[in-house]
Amino acid sequence: TFDQLKMPLEADRLVGGNTLITDTYGQRVIEVDAKGAKVWEWQAPQGMHPYDVERLANGRTLVVMYPSLVVEVDRNGEVVWKLEELEGVFDADRLLNGNTLIALYGANLVREVNAKGETVWEAKAKQPNDVDRLPNGNTLVGTADSWVELSPDGKVVSENQRGKRVSEVTRH
């Protein structure tokens, strides 16, 4: 299974020991067990490249596909929710309130949408790669050359210019 991967960008260890992997140029997402055996696979639409993946609390899987699509798929591979025509989407996280937080690299924006796909919050960020909502309500963003923390009103709380891409942000 692993020798057939074509540029895996994301791997998430799941509760129970399985791992979700984005096979970006293979245009699929796979789940493997602790021994590496494939237990689930979802094929992305033609021309879409999985960049990010997250197993949701409801058992479904949230998949980000560059350049323009975010989907939620069930265990049977059926798309049950989607956002289309996004501008260079790199990352998406499902929030505790059910909304989805999205990094739109091509639009220089981070955006929160509700279940209907309506924008409920948005802030500018230079080429965001990754976005996480913090427990205090602020938003942490990895960008093309820094990480930045934004307040709920979109103002910069703190920033660290790195001069290099920050692909993943997490605060513990």
Side-chain angles (χ1 to χ4, degrees):
T1 298
F2 296 113
D3 59 347
Q4 298 171 355
L5 294 174
K6 300 173 185 169
M7 196 175 154
L9 282 181
E10 176 88 9
D12 280 345
R13 182 62 48 105
L14 304 174
V15 174
N18 287 359
T19 304
L20 278 174
I21 303 169
T22 60
D23 184 8
T24 301
Y25 290 133
Q27 296 183 296
R28 65 186 180 146
V29 173
I30 62 170
E31 180 180 342
V32 296
D33 65 18
K35 295 181 181 180
K38 184 172 57 175
V39 297
W40 183 75
E41 179 175 344
W42 182 76
Q43 192 67 46
Q46 186 67 30
M48 293 290 144
H49 302 284
Y51 266 37
D52 185 63
V53 64
E54 172 184 339
R55 179 62 45 81
L56 302 174
N58 63 12
R60 296 175 180 161
T61 304
L62 190 67
V63 184
V64 172
M65 288 170 285
Y66 187 82
S68 62
L69 185 62
V70 177
V71 297
E72 182 180 334
V73 297
D74 65 18
R75 292 297 290 174
N76 297 319
E78 297 296 319
V79 174
V80 296
W81 182 83
K82 68 181 172 180
L83 287 172
E84 300 177 283
E85 300 178 18
L86 299 168
E87 298 176 56
V89 62
F90 269 32
D91 180 56
D93 292 330
R94 183 63 47 83
L95 302 175
L96 294 176
N97 65 4
N99 290 350
T100 304
L101 190 60
I102 307 164
L104 296 170
Y105 184 91
N108 292 305
L109 293 171
V110 291
R111 181 179 294 155
E112 180 180 343
V113 299
N114 62 22
K116 295 178 183 177
E118 300 165 333
T119 299
V120 297
W121 180 83
E122 186 173 87
K124 292 182 180 185
K126 181 182 176 184
Q127 298 174 327
N129 297 293
D130 189 53
V131 60
D132 288 336
R133 181 63 45 83
L134 300 174
N136 66 2
N138 289 349
T139 302
L140 191 61
V141 184
T143 74
D145 61 2
S146 68
W147 63 259
V148 62
E149 183 176 343
L150 303 171
S151 65
D153 62 1
K155 293 184 178 156
V156 174
V157 173
S158 62
E159 184 172 19
N160 186 316
Q161 291 290 329
R162 307 277 305 155
K164 295 181 181 177
R165 176 185 280 199
V166 179
S167 295
E168 183 74 29
V169 291
T170 304
R171 179 169 294 162
H172 297 281

